[in-house]
Amino acid sequence: MYPQFLRDDLPDERILGIQLGAELLKASDMMWFIGSKITRGMKYELEIAKKMRIPIRCYDEQLNRITPDTLSIDDRVDEEFLAELQGAHII
């Protein structure tokens, strides 16, 4: 949403966009985690979701669901991805 009016290539605007997204996350019932590569901004938002026990649903880049019961054996995710999700409420 924020890239429509904030520039990701300007550090101050990128940080502002991440902060605004985090505030929106705090008012959310669920977080959708899309993609198998985790950026620093995604890590920041993931930590907020963990602290607030916001449920997370994971999807790959084609929006196919990655289910919690097979997450550890799913070839779409790597060890770093799994490590970042430790402590998260995956549904």
Side-chain angles (χ1 to χ4, degrees):
M1 165 180 12
Y2 298 110
Q4 293 179 20
F5 56 89
L6 293 174
R7 291 184 47 187
D8 199 47
D9 61 326
L10 298 176
D12 289 343
E13 289 194 19
R14 179 179 181 277
I15 295 298
L16 178 60
I18 291 170
Q19 290 172 325
L20 291 170
E23 290 304 311
L24 186 60
L25 175 61
K26 291 175 185 177
S28 300
D29 296 328
M30 182 184 305
M31 177 181 187
W32 283 27
F33 207 80
I34 301 172
S36 57
K37 299 293 180 202
I38 301 175
T39 66
R40 290 188 299 171
M42 291 167 73
K43 286 180 186 181
Y44 177 77
E45 292 170 341
L46 182 57
E47 288 305 314
I48 292 169
K50 286 180 188 179
K51 287 177 187 171
M52 298 189 69
R53 299 287 300 156
I54 296 170
I56 300 170
R57 283 197 179 179
C58 296
Y59 296 87
D60 67 13
E61 289 82 357
Q62 288 76 41
L63 298 180
N64 297 304
R65 180 106 185 267
I66 301 172
T67 59
D69 55 329
T70 59
L71 189 61
S72 64
I73 59 168
D74 197 312
D75 291 334
R76 295 173 289 179
V77 300
D78 59 17
E79 294 300 319
E80 180 185 357
F81 185 92
L82 292 173
E84 291 296 335
L85 289 177
Q86 288 294 319
H89 181 55
I90 308 297
I91 58 169

